[in-house]
Amino acid sequence: MKRPLILCVAFSACLALAAAGWSSGTATFYGGPDGSGTMGGACGYDNLYNAGYGVNNAALSSTLFNDGASCGQCYLITCDTSRPGGKSCKPGNSITVSATNLCPANYALPNGGCAGVIPVLYQQVQCSRTGGVRFSIAGSQYFLLVNIQNLAGSGSVGAAWVKGDKTGWIQMSRNWGANWQALAGLVGQGLSFAVTSTGGQYIQFWNVVPAGWWQFGQTYTTTQNFYY
């Protein structure tokens, strides 16, 4: 079983590799093989099993994380044996991971604070998910906070809207990570959502949350998902 990765970007990629869609980076391991030490994180997915991400996940550098805009994206990672330390990585293997966390570097420490740094090549790829997009509801009577999870295709959210039974479509804004907020009191109303992925696909998710005395802290699963 693979451990979660910290993926750090390198700013000087080989032109030949860049042309093939690969970039140079470094990776290290953190947490245990069961993923118990990596739950939660800066994307706000909480339990990564329940959110659809399992254990093949990565904490991105600040540059790649992009203030949460990359949450849920998928990256194909392979060994780079052409650089020093590359022999510590098993050549010929690759793994696809999902971005679920942030690992800001501490440049006051060697290797930015990371131990066991391994040179890798990486590129963003399409995500394959099981089941539909999920909406985890939090907030208060004055605002709604929704964690949008399990996106296939590009894997990440570019824009989101919510609609109550008694409202039109309300555009949401990113609060932090994969959490999107609407400054509207929607308690008790049935809720529908619309999402545009960062790949540009737009989907409306009708009647996701039924009207009535639903509670904050619940997660609602749909049958629709993204292709790009």
Side-chain angles (χ1 to χ4, degrees):
M1 188 176 292
K2 304 295 191 301
R3 289 186 178 184
L5 291 169
I6 298 171
L7 181 60
C8 304
V9 67
F11 293 98
S12 55
C14 172
L15 293 179
L17 294 172
W22 292 95
S23 298
S24 297
T26 55
T28 188
F29 298 100
Y30 74 111
D34 63 351
S36 60
T38 59
M39 296 293 147
C43 289
Y45 292 136
D46 196 19
N47 187 308
L48 296 177
Y49 292 106
N50 294 341
Y53 299 105
V55 295
N56 288 342
N57 303 300
L60 302 184
S61 66
S62 298
T63 300
L64 281 178
F65 190 72
N66 193 20
D67 293 327
S70 297
C71 284
Q73 291 181 0
C74 294
Y75 295 88
L76 179 65
I77 302 174
T78 190
C79 303
D80 184 358
T81 56
S82 67
R83 289 190 286 156
K87 294 182 179 180
S88 301
C89 183
K90 189 174 182 180
N93 288 347
S94 62
I95 185 174
T96 299
V97 297
S98 300
T100 60
N101 205 349
L102 166 67
C103 181
N106 182 354
Y107 292 108
L109 299 175
N111 295 321
C114 296
V117 175
I118 301 170
V120 296
L121 300 172
Y122 71 94
Q123 61 176 306
Q124 187 180 348
V125 295
Q126 293 291 95
C127 298
S128 177
R129 304 291 187 209
T130 300
V133 175
R134 303 171 187 177
F135 298 86
S136 184
I137 311 299
S140 73
Q141 61 179 324
Y142 304 109
F143 74 98
L144 192 71
L145 188 68
V146 182
N147 189 272
I148 307 177
Q149 310 167 350
N150 202 47
L151 272 71
S154 66
S156 51
V157 177
W161 296 260
V162 63
K163 182 184 182 306
D165 289 337
K166 302 175 183 178
T167 73
W169 287 105
I170 302 169
Q171 185 156 16
M172 306 179 78
S173 60
R174 187 186 307 277
N175 185 292
W176 61 275
N179 289 297
W180 291 73
Q181 67 178 6
L183 301 179
L186 299 171
V187 173
Q189 295 188 45
L191 302 179
S192 299
F193 298 94
V195 175
T196 299
S197 70
T198 52
Q201 185 178 358
Y202 174 80
I203 298 179
Q204 291 182 335
F205 302 86
W206 289 96
N207 304 315
V208 175
V209 181
W213 296 103
W214 52 263
Q215 297 179 347
F216 295 117
Q218 295 175 319
T219 299
Y220 296 86
T221 301
T222 72
T223 59
Q224 298 169 273
N225 216 318
F226 291 87
Y227 294 102
Y228 58 89

